Amino acid sequence: MLRPILGDFSSIICFKAAITGMEEALGEKATAIALTAAGRYRGKTLAQELDLANSSMSLEELADKLDYVFGKDGTRLCIVEKIVQEDNEVIKVHTSETLCSADEPQGSQRKCTYTLGAIWGVLEETFNQRLQGKHTECILRGGKYDVFEFTKLS
């Protein structure tokens, strides 16, 4: 535990205020880049802590592990619903209740930058593969999930 009285978790309200403040100070694009990079750093560190590097676990096992770590029993970043590989080059991660979408109105253009980055970092470490990630489907814009799509880079 990092804090003996308050514990290791803080409020979504405070995190979202930090995002908004960063957007006002740095602009939307610079904030998105910074939050994605911060998430990737967190994801890579987490994958190392969990000994996931070069893992041979199935995508279903990885989804369960990430849901445990990021979900209601973990940091509560998001629920990882499933991870699927559509072809040899594309991995899609379906999430819900993402930190970034919390309290956003329907139709909001908010992207899940930090959450995308965290999952991106875990996947790169787990598969020892450089990936390109993007937020392709959004609950805020009619999607059933927030979907993050990762394409292998050569």
Side-chain angles (χ1 to χ4, degrees):
M1 200 177 260
L2 299 175
R3 299 185 300 178
I5 296 172
L6 294 178
D8 293 349
F9 301 101
S10 67
S11 158
I12 287 177
I13 295 164
C14 291
F15 189 81
K16 297 229 11 159
I19 292 171
T20 303
M22 289 172 64
E23 287 174 341
E24 286 181 16
L26 303 173
E28 208 171 291
K29 285 188 178 191
T31 299
I33 291 167
L35 288 170
T36 303
R40 282 179 76 196
Y41 176 81
R42 171 66 182 136
K44 287 179 181 223
T45 302
L46 180 65
Q48 292 165 1
E49 290 170 5
L50 297 173
D51 289 323
L52 294 176
N54 299 314
S55 175
S56 61
M57 72 174 56
S58 71
L59 292 179
E60 186 176 335
E61 291 172 311
L62 182 59
D64 288 344
K65 185 169 279 283
L66 292 184
D67 186 50
Y68 179 77
V69 172
F70 288 142
K72 67 181 175 112
D73 295 318
T75 63
R76 299 179 182 219
L77 177 66
C78 66
I79 295 170
V80 177
E81 303 282 355
K82 63 183 174 180
I83 302 175
V84 294
Q85 189 157 357
E86 292 207 333
D87 59 38
N88 198 30
E89 301 297 314
V90 178
I91 297 168
K92 288 188 176 184
V93 181
H94 296 73
T95 64
S96 61
E97 292 196 34
T98 60
L99 173 74
C100 304
S101 292
D103 198 39
E104 288 290 321
Q106 275 298 339
S108 168
Q109 293 304 303
R110 171 84 48 215
K111 294 276 191 178
C112 295
T113 52
Y114 183 82
T115 307
L116 166 72
I119 291 172
W120 191 346
V122 168
L123 293 179
E124 283 189 331
E125 282 294 309
T126 300
F127 300 124
N128 192 29
Q129 172 73 49
R130 291 215 38 215
L131 301 169
Q132 176 63 49
K134 59 185 172 181
H135 187 180
T136 58
E137 197 175 314
C138 185
I139 289 172
L140 298 173
R141 294 179 290 285
K144 185 173 180 182
Y145 302 104
D146 280 305
V147 178
F148 307 122
E149 187 174 303
F150 301 95
T151 306
K152 294 178 182 178
L153 297 174
S154 42

